[in-house]
Amino acid sequence: MAPRSADAWARVLAALRASPAAFVARAGAEGLAAELLSELRSERQSEPTKGSLLSVIMEFPTQLWPDPTAAEAAVSALLDTLALLPPRPAALRRPLLLAATSVLAACGALAPASAATSRLLPVLLRAASGRATGQEQRALQATACECLRELESCRPGLLAGQLGLLRALQDSRATQAHCLLFVITLRNALRALAQVGPGAPAGLHGLLVARTDRPQGGEIQAWDWSLEAPGAQWPGLWDWTLAGEDIWDPAVPLGQEGDWAEPGPAPLDLPPPEARELRAAVSQLLDLSYLLTPPAQAQMLQQLSQVLRAVRGQPPALLKPQLVRLLGTARVSLLHAVLAAKDTFGEALFTAQDEALLLRRLVGAAQHPALPSPARLFYLHCLLHFPENWPLGPAGEEGTPVLLTPSLATGLLPSLLQDPPDLLARLHLLCLLCGEELSADGSRDCQGTEDRALGYLQRLLASLRQGAAQPGAPRSSVTLCFRASYLATRCLASHPGALAQLTKGLAELYQARPCLAPHFVDLLEQAREVLAEPLGKALQQVAVAGAGGAQALQWHLQILTKVAGAQPLGPTLGFLWAALGQGGDWAWEQALLGTCRALLRGTELSGAGPRDLANLLQELARGLDDPDSRDRGRLYYSLFTHLSGPKLGSALGPTRSTPMLGSSLVEENEGFASALTVQEAQAPLQLRRVSRQAKEPPVILGLTVEASETLYSLELRFRILGPYYEPLKAVQVPCLRPGASPKLLLLPLEPRRPYPALLDISVLYATPSGLTCYAQLPSLPIAFADLFLPLPPSSPQVTHPQTFHELWASCLPGGAESCMWGPWWGQALETLVTKHWEPFVMSATPPTSYQVAIRLPPSSQLLLQLEAAGEDGVRVALRTDDWAILPLAGEYLRGLGATL
């Protein structure tokens, strides 16, 4: 296959990013990966193009190399490409290191027996330990440290044997990359030593003083751009003794892992000399933290907190100077690190005065008008989850901090003028304050608290409900009202008096706007038993009263379906009898039957309820207009009168309270249900392209379809990916039999723009056994040449050469022109024109000169003048009235040249 151009690679990478799984399945992972690696070593591609290829490798390593063995070979190929770079600054050196690390880590190829691992780790260490003097060298050094951190995160303890070297680099370089690499290696080494126990080959002192791979003379080697000579091997084997599996949560960003996974090893007991050496290393890192960026400082503080927790007897007071400095910080990342340290060490590191100061700091920042909304939301979140030294409630229970008094939180009251996220966060805090107020004064009647927090909360919720009740209220107002109601319900669940007023207000809202029934159904689903009884009863009363008239009938049926089984049966049956007399369309009948089905699946019926429900079902089986609806009503009546409660619930579908039973009825119905379901299968069909040349619009795409087994009632559905074509109608084929003549399908294409595309094809068909199947067929490309049409015939008095010259002149100045060279000698030009452009030739002097005019729907044209230049090939001049198709025409012509 001919090498792709930069534009072609840009389109390929865009298609890959749009749908990685589908593209790789269509193109083949092995072939695409091999082409990517080959293009990286090609001299025809520019460095920006190669950088784009490497970025795709970093984004989709697991799709390109799903097998670890293939991934290891890919890493070796990337390292070979790295070794071939000239010994001078090159833009590809850093992306190559990142790509090799990504493939090795993501594809499971990082292992002791991996040859690629044995090559990559020394290369990264050599790049990280060189003496960097220039900007390019420092950037490469930082990249190598980042790659080592990534590998250390994947296999904690991998670099434990290099801890002495990393400490020496951190002492001599003191760069941010070296500090972060050393601290994560130290943390993981302590964890690994605790897991190994007394059987560890070396203690912490041995790891810290070891200088693995130290150059002669004790100096860090000078910078060498040749990180690895072609075919070179690093001497010695890598020490995997302390390397373990990944113990961190992969969903958490690097440096924000929090505590170790449980269960974990007990804290490590260190001898006094090693403990002193560890404290010295931690103190040195803390002293260097001033030089780091705020996110790096936060990451280092969290990891040093884990280091101190991993060793028994290490005082957290080492962190105190840094935390005192950061109590007044305006950096969100640093404040988050302070709160994480407070959550970890509590009163061992933070006094009551520190806690009060930090709380006032959060309260002030949460209401600061100059801060952006995301920052204020962060401070409110910290208040809602504030790590107290001595929390009063049980662990995991929501509550406001003890020191957050109502007077201190006055400035945090929610208002209708605030943004919805800000309002909801403040409302959450207010609800928690109200819950604590009611718990402290539970004996007092709620009606007398209008001047306190609960009164403010009730007035705010009433205002939100009033806004949602307005006719034509925006969806955002309705959503905000229900989210606020849910927060109030969750926080005040243990206070019936407050819930009673909330329930009354919600019932009035439903009475004013029954069209909000889906929101009420969702609220009942989320609130569960807290609101199921009071709100369900209130909504049932509003629904059976018929608020909103006949237009609201469908919404009332949704509410009654939701509360069926939890509320009395009589009012619902009375409403259904009244609704049956009004009549309606098929959708109305289905909603009515759905409510009946919910009643059948509800709780046990007693008294006159079963008889009334049976009469209703019998009337539905006789009185509904649609035959399907009558059959469904008759089925419900038969099931209700012949099955007991548990079997009836199982036959109508399992619920939380009614599990699926293994009865004979269910077993017999399983095959019947599967027969009614569309089955996904591999279609025994084969589609082929047929060459057809249309003489006038529309463009016709010819396909033939054959079947390897008998199929009935086929419906082939076509969808052109992208926005550049009009939708295609489905094609019905009554029957296909094996051995019969292929069925010809003619698809009219109506391009909005004359661009290539991909035709997605699926089919729905019936088998002789009665099953209905669905299958996805291989996609077919719509090429640029498939859109070619000849120009409409001109007047008999006008010759073709004259017409072509008029068209050629009319393309400019509004269009575009270009010229290129074609590798066609001798009779090749005549063969090319005869094979591809014969219907479009307007004038010719065979075999040296041709004038070709092509029409591209909907309204573009492409003109070609081909002049043979002896043994030098063919000069091709292009003109078009649409500049956007010029690159497509150039790629099309280059493709023709590659095929000859």
Side-chain angles (χ1 to χ4, degrees), residues 187-213:
R187 181 195 67 176
N188 291 343
L190 291 172
R191 175 73 170 184
L193 289 173
Q195 287 179 323
V196 175
L204 180 62
H205 176 74
L207 295 177
L208 285 174
V209 301
R211 293 287 300 276
T212 306
D213 306 324

Side-chain angles (χ1 to χ4, degrees), residues 284-598:
Q284 186 179 12
L285 287 169
L286 288 172
D287 292 340
L288 291 174
S289 65
Y290 294 92
L291 305 176
L292 308 185
T293 61
Q297 288 187 54
Q299 184 174 330
M300 176 179 285
L301 285 174
Q302 291 192 10
Q303 292 177 348
L304 288 178
S305 300
Q306 296 168 355
V307 166
L308 295 178
R309 286 195 63 190
V311 180
R312 195 185 307 276
Q314 290 298 309
L318 291 172
L319 303 174
K320 185 70 173 180
Q322 296 295 326
L323 296 178
V324 170
R325 175 178 66 90
L326 297 177
L327 282 178
T329 181
R331 299 284 187 173
V332 169
S333 57
L334 292 176
L335 183 60
H336 186 270
V338 172
L339 292 172
K342 188 179 188 311
D343 186 39
T344 301
F345 298 107
E347 66 274 11
L349 192 57
F350 288 83
T351 64
Q353 292 78 12
D354 295 334
E355 187 175 62
L357 174 63
L358 188 56
L359 194 62
R360 288 195 298 271
R361 170 88 173 80
L362 291 174
V363 171
Q367 53 185 311
H368 200 292
L371 290 176
S373 180
R376 292 198 302 270
L377 287 176
F378 167 76
Y379 292 120
L380 287 169
H381 179 81
C382 293
L383 285 172
L384 291 170
H385 303 87
F386 188 76
E388 297 181 87
N389 287 347
W390 301 281
L392 297 181
E397 182 182 20
E398 281 190 329
T400 55
V402 176
L403 298 178
L404 184 63
T405 60
S407 59
L408 182 61
T410 303
L412 296 177
L413 291 177
S415 169
L416 295 178
L417 300 178
Q418 295 160 352
D419 294 335
D422 198 5
L423 187 151
L424 289 173
R426 292 172 178 244
L427 180 72
H428 192 184
L429 190 63
L430 177 61
C431 291
L432 292 176
L433 288 172
C434 291
E436 293 181 359
E437 179 183 340
L438 291 174
S439 300
D441 193 15
S443 60
R444 189 172 63 177
D445 188 6
C446 292
Q447 299 296 329
T449 61
E450 290 295 324
D451 57 336
R452 305 185 62 176
L454 182 59
Y456 186 87
L457 173 63
Q458 291 170 349
R459 292 193 295 272
L460 178 66
L461 292 175
S463 299
L464 291 174
R465 291 193 296 267
Q466 184 178 3
Q470 297 299 321
R475 182 182 180 87
S476 57
S477 300
V478 176
T479 304
L480 179 61
C481 172
F482 279 92
R483 293 180 67 183
S485 301
Y486 171 70
L487 280 176
T489 301
R490 195 179 69 181
C491 297
L492 303 176
S494 58
H495 306 288
L499 282 182
Q501 297 194 23
L502 176 62
T503 300
K504 180 181 177 182
L506 290 173
E508 293 173 352
L509 173 61
Y510 178 66
Q511 186 173 10
R513 290 194 71 189
C515 62
L516 300 180
H519 294 275
F520 282 98
V521 170
D522 183 61
L523 180 61
L524 288 171
E525 180 68 25
Q526 297 297 328
R528 308 284 177 156
E529 63 277 358
V530 178
L531 279 181
E533 176 60 30
L535 183 58
K537 182 178 181 180
L539 293 179
Q540 184 194 35
Q541 293 174 355
V542 175
V544 299
Q551 294 79 9
L553 181 61
Q554 57 174 332
W555 309 120
H556 296 329
L557 289 176
Q558 287 189 24
I559 294 295
L560 296 176
T561 300
K562 179 60 184 176
V563 303
Q567 301 301 329
L569 181 63
T572 301
L573 288 177
F575 177 81
L576 294 179
W577 275 107
L580 182 60
Q582 298 181 17
D585 56 5
W586 180 87
W588 172 85
E589 294 177 353
Q590 294 303 308
L592 196 64
L593 289 168
T595 306
C596 295
R597 183 172 182 266

